[in-house]
Amino acid sequence: MREYELVAGLETHVELSTKTKIFCGCTTAFGSEPNTHCCPICIGLPGTMPKLNRQAVRYAIMAGLATNCEINPIAKMDRKNYVYPDLPKAYQISQYDRPLCSNGYIQLQNGRKIRILRIHIEEDAGKLVHERGDTYVDYNRGGVPLIEIVTEPDIRSIDEAIEYVEKLQLIMRYIGVSDVKMQEGSLRCDVNISVRPKGAEQLGIRAEIKNMNSFAFMQKAMQYEFERQTDLLESGEQVVQETRRYNTDTGETEPMRGKEDAHDYRYFREPDLVTIETAPQEVEQIKAALPELPDAKFARYTEAYGLSETDANILIKYRRVAEFFDAAAKLVQTPKTVSNLIITQIFRRLSTEEQKEAFEIVVTPQTLAELIALRESGKINNNLLKSTLEQMLDTGKPVAALIDEKDLGGVDEATLREICRQVVAENPAAVQDYRGGKEAAFKALIGGVMKATRGKANALQATEILKSLL
Amino acid sequence: MVTREEILDIALLAKLSVDEEKLDELTKQMMDIIAFADTINAYEGQTGEFDNINGLSNVFREDTVVASYPREQILKNVDGGENGFFPVKKKM
């Protein structure tokens, strides 16, 4: 059997977090009674006029800039005609040949760039509910602003597809234009997938799998589709260009309809909406207001703070965690300590992704930094640092309330010198090892001092005294 | 070329009744309309410039919530709907 290569391109729909719909003032709030967030504009009654939401345009431009796109100085809206009950006007107002953003990319960890062909804005459709053979429509979602992010067919594996979507999700969360929750449908993926013999130049015929609403389904659907198309080509058959859906019960993809080409939609300019012009100064202003993005944070954490790539990746994965880390890292000499405490100790209390995402803890970056400063100045040791942090996480009390003056450098120099003499006297083996060149033996001696002082000794001072005695 | 039969077909689809004596005139008018569209088609794409038809741009609304309509009104055209939904006729 020949080896085959997977080729995929993604179309990702992201629901924008505007307060109102794209063409009317109805709320975009999720999860209300059906058809209560509707007006004559969003249910498509004749004679109504759409009016474009400024914030939706701004969010789309932010998304474009955050994914390295060019912002087109002139964009327009078009009608995409198709008949389906979730679309009350029988056309969707979208963008065809003049989208807001073009020619961007997202870079993967392996260095490959997944090119973004375009990002356009459009209105979401309503929701169909099927019950006992009948169909009902709820138009609350109809008219909610979406951006559609279309890649070139640059993806070469399922892992790359998933990494791309995860990264896109992270970027959208950082810039705050969407809550990108796959399970609530605020991020939905269509995957265009084809296969070709490894090394071939020409692309194979593609099938589109609609509406992947979880990473697990996306993974399974792509795997199934890759195998299905490979089997077809191996047996000398052709892949049919069509739209397929993933059946979660059978674990298979099945045909939905023939894949439309653009001309099937009879696109034409939306006559009720005027041109969108974006001046270069406006683009610059929006760009300047963007927060630091995940790639830039990663570079800063690994280069300026010397964190490992693994640790940096964990921190940037959650926007609030990264913000907390940044705030605390600024206040201490050893940012790595902040990172370690977050990843090991604090994350132990936040088991789910949602909890890490929300990062609701009672400790502030300031109080954590105060605690770390005590460690850095040698006033407390690692054990006391950890146990105090546990208490802080439990009670929310400030450092001062948990560590009193007695604990801080409570051992005066004379006492410390005496304790050090005792430790040296009681550990002849370690002393001999150290003198024989075993650096590690010194740790046992320091440990002895710490034990004798119940962790209150200043480690730097103890080290000095011990070394003078040896 | 447009035929009288095509005009009658269009009239039927549009649920319009057309007088026999008006048929020739309507056929000619339809041919004129199509010829005009051909003129536009021949011109399209020659300049490559974006034609901002009415010279207007950037008409926006602010992202401020306005009260939606009461559901009874939204569902008025479908006899009040069913359980708050628009029912869809079978076999669309």
Side-chain angles (χ1 to χ4, degrees):
Chain A
M1 186 172 151
R2 270 198 289 187
E3 256 198 278
Y4 287 89
E5 175 182 55
L6 176 151
V7 176
L10 259 55
E11 292 167 20
T12 313
H13 286 96
V14 171
E15 243 176 42
L16 298 177
S17 307
T18 53
K19 294 187 195 77
T20 66
K21 293 187 178 182
I22 185 165
F23 301 123
C24 65
C26 288
T27 175
T28 54
F30 182 75
S32 301
E33 285 290 300
N35 296 305
T36 50
H37 300 165
C38 297
C39 74
I41 295 174
C42 57
I43 61 167
L45 292 188
T48 55
M49 292 287 263
K51 208 167 175 192
L52 187 55
N53 184 338
R54 184 193 297 276
Q55 187 72 336
V57 175
R58 191 184 165 84
Y59 278 171
I61 293 174
M62 286 167 71
L65 291 172
T67 52
N68 309 295
C69 286
E70 294 157 17
I71 308 306
N72 295 315
I74 294 176
K76 67 175 171 73
M77 306 304 297
D78 297 281
R79 290 186 182 181
K80 178 181 182 178
N81 297 278
Y82 66 91
V83 178
Y84 207 62
D86 62 4
L87 198 65
K89 299 190 293 290
Y91 59 83
Q92 178 193 31
I93 303 179
S94 178
Q95 295 189 289
Y96 180 48
D97 54 345
R98 285 185 178 267
L100 272 173
C101 320
S102 310
N103 303 326
Y105 65 87
I106 283 182
Q107 190 158 15
L108 304 180
Q109 295 263 335
N110 63 14
R112 294 199 56 227
K113 282 180 181 172
I114 307 303
R115 288 170 298 157
I116 290 171
L117 178 68
R118 55 186 282 152
I119 300 180
H120 67 252
I121 48 173
E122 61 187 23
E123 56 182 332
D124 206 346
K127 200 172 137 196
L128 295 182
V129 180
H130 303 280
E131 216 170 89
R132 279 177 260 110
D134 292 319
T135 301
Y136 300 94
V137 202
D138 171 10
Y139 288 118
N140 282 351
R141 201 183 64 187
V144 168
L146 296 177
I147 47 175
E148 182 175 336
I149 303 157
V150 184
T151 76
E152 299 280 3
D154 286 349
I155 291 165
R156 293 288 175 274
S157 70
I158 297 171
D159 286 346
E160 282 191 356
I162 289 177
E163 190 189 333
Y164 165 83
V165 179
E166 281 178 340
K167 187 138 190 202
L168 184 69
Q169 209 174 19
L170 187 62
I171 293 170
M172 296 303 135
R173 242 180 233 141
Y174 265 59
I175 60 175
V177 300
S178 172
D179 56 13
V180 281
K181 287 183 187 155
M182 261 183 148
Q183 68 279 12
E184 282 183 15
S186 54
L187 182 144
R188 309 192 286 271
C189 262
D190 303 339
V191 187
N192 280 295
I193 169 167
S194 63
V195 299
R196 64 181 174 191
K198 232 185 177 129
E201 284 283 309
Q202 211 183 347
L203 294 173
I205 297 168
R206 70 182 196 274
E208 182 182 18
I209 320 170
K210 279 272 179 204
N211 280 337
M212 306 278 93
N213 59 5
S214 85
F215 286 114
F217 290 159
M218 191 170 142
Q219 208 270 335
K220 286 179 193 156
M222 286 183 76
Q223 186 62 40
Y224 177 86
E225 192 57 23
F226 177 64
E227 283 164 16
R228 186 186 72 90
Q229 292 188 19
T230 307
D231 288 349
L232 281 176
L233 296 185
E234 271 295 294
S235 58
E237 289 175 65
Q238 286 235 316
V239 175
V240 180
Q241 182 173 329
E242 64 186 353
T243 299
R244 301 175 70 87
R245 85 160 68 81
Y246 180 66
N247 184 328
T248 49
D249 296 328
T250 61
E252 296 176 358
T253 64
E254 55 196 28
M256 265 170 91
R257 57 171 193 257
K259 167 92 181 116
E260 295 86 352
D261 276 322
H263 61 251
D264 295 324
Y265 290 121
R266 295 164 291 133
Y267 277 103
F268 64 90
R269 184 166 182 184
E270 167 56 68
D272 290 341
L273 288 165
V274 302
T275 311
I276 306 162
E277 285 188 63
T278 313
Q281 310 88 278
E282 205 185 336
V283 174
E284 285 311 313
Q285 274 172 13
I286 297 175
K287 201 177 202 167
L290 284 181
E292 186 182 34
L293 295 171
D295 278 352
K297 268 202 200 300
F298 179 83
R300 191 160 57 80
Y301 289 0
T302 50
E303 285 157 27
Y305 287 157
L307 302 188
S308 71
E309 293 193 356
T310 315
D311 288 355
N313 269 324
I314 296 174
L315 294 178
I316 63 167
K317 191 172 172 199
Y318 313 97
R319 180 183 171 175
R320 281 167 202 251
V321 174
E323 283 168 0
F324 184 98
F325 170 77
D326 276 330
K330 260 189 275 179
L331 304 170
V332 302
Q333 290 157 26
T334 53
K336 192 144 191 2
T337 312
V338 182
S339 154
N340 287 344
L341 291 175
I342 292 175
I343 293 171
T344 57
Q345 230 178 317
I346 301 179
F347 271 13
R348 204 181 305 136
R349 292 166 174 254
L350 309 168
S351 46
T352 66
E353 290 294 297
E354 288 74 30
Q355 285 173 326
K356 290 186 182 109
E357 194 65 60
F359 204 60
E360 280 164 355
I361 56 167
V362 288
V363 173
T364 65
Q366 288 71 27
T367 53
L368 183 65
E370 268 174 54
L371 180 66
I372 292 173
L374 292 178
R375 175 74 192 99
E376 284 169 343
S377 63
K379 286 180 178 162
I380 59 171
N381 67 4
N382 253 332
N383 290 336
L384 193 55
L385 170 78
K386 285 178 188 165
S387 61
T388 311
L389 178 56
E390 282 304 311
Q391 286 177 288
M392 284 162 66
L393 289 165
D394 283 336
T395 63
K397 283 185 184 163
V399 182
L402 296 167
I403 300 183
D404 58 32
E405 286 303 313
K406 286 202 304 291
D407 292 317
L408 296 177
V411 187
D412 61 63
E413 200 181 330
T415 317
L416 188 58
R417 191 167 286 275
E418 186 48 41
I419 291 170
C420 287
R421 270 200 201 100
Q422 276 174 22
V423 169
V424 168
E426 286 163 10
N427 295 281
V431 171
Q432 208 179 344
D433 283 351
Y434 177 72
R435 284 185 177 143
K438 271 195 186 169
E439 280 291 320
F442 192 75
K443 275 193 183 156
L445 297 173
I446 278 285
V449 175
M450 286 301 169
K451 202 173 162 195
T453 57
R454 282 181 294 125
K456 290 177 195 168
N458 179 324
L460 287 175
Q461 210 180 0
T463 304
E464 250 169 56
I465 297 172
L466 274 176
K467 288 209 167 156
S468 73
L469 292 172
L470 294 166
Chain B
M1 188 61 200
V2 180
T3 64
R4 288 164 58 103
E5 287 68 37
E6 281 169 328
I7 295 298
L8 286 171
D9 282 346
I10 293 167
L12 187 70
L13 285 171
K15 295 181 179 165
L16 295 172
S17 58
V18 177
D19 293 338
E20 180 64 34
E21 62 265 28
K22 287 254 179 157
L23 209 50
D24 281 332
E25 191 193 338
L26 284 169
T27 308
K28 190 190 167 304
Q29 281 176 356
M30 187 60 89
M31 279 197 279
D32 288 346
I33 290 167
I34 289 169
F36 180 64
D38 284 341
T39 309
I40 291 174
N41 278 343
Y43 178 76
E44 200 174 46
Q46 279 182 4
T47 63
E49 298 260 311
F50 178 70
D51 183 10
N52 191 5
I53 303 162
N54 50 20
L56 287 173
S57 62
N58 296 353
V59 178
F60 296 119
R61 36 170 281 275
E62 298 306 319
D63 189 23
T64 316
V65 176
V66 175
S68 294
Y69 274 48
R71 186 158 70 181
E72 307 83 74
Q73 287 213 41
I74 290 296
L75 295 171
K76 215 169 160 185
N77 290 340
V78 284
D79 295 332
E82 284 177 38
N83 299 320
F85 287 96
F86 284 84
V88 179
K89 277 187 198 157
K90 277 187 189 136
K91 284 284 150 218
M92 285 280 300

